[in-house]
Amino acid sequence: MPIHSYHLYCQRIDASRNMARYYDLSLQPTLFGEIAVMRSWGRIGRAGGEKSEVFSSDQQAISHFLELVRRKRKKGYAPVGAGRQGE
């Protein structure tokens, strides 16, 4: 497991398009010593999708995490404090 905690909660809000979305991304250890990239997304205030991907090395998981962050930032998602969905 990485020494540092990796967690990102971001939102994309555009009132002119009636868009209010969130994306929550984190790294979590598994019971078998692997590391999982956990993500959830959807409309703010509603249930959304969830997905987890397991990696055998920290390096692979962190690389994937950072690639997902890059993609979301490119689409206009912006980090929001330490909050979570529905707060």
Side-chain angles (χ1 to χ4, degrees):
M1 180 69 189
I3 297 170
H4 301 286
S5 172
Y6 285 80
H7 180 247
L8 176 70
Y9 176 81
C10 54
Q11 295 178 342
R12 182 177 177 197
I13 299 173
D14 183 347
S16 67
R17 296 174 59 194
N18 192 28
M19 179 189 302
R21 298 180 182 165
Y22 72 91
Y23 193 78
D24 195 7
L25 184 63
S26 65
L27 294 180
Q28 302 291 326
T30 68
L31 294 173
F32 303 106
E34 299 166 317
I35 187 162
V37 176
M38 309 289 291
R39 50 183 159 156
S40 63
W41 63 88
R43 186 165 175 84
I44 295 172
R46 301 200 186 242
E50 292 182 353
K51 184 174 183 176
S52 65
E53 297 169 277
V54 177
F55 296 88
S56 58
S57 78
D58 294 353
Q59 176 119 11
Q60 291 173 326
I62 292 168
S63 178
H64 186 65
F65 178 96
L66 294 173
E67 175 62 20
L68 292 170
V69 170
R70 186 190 67 75
R71 287 184 200 169
K72 289 302 169 183
R73 294 297 305 267
K74 189 174 181 179
K75 286 186 176 185
Y77 284 81
V80 178
R84 296 196 53 89
Q85 176 185 354
E87 290 184 7

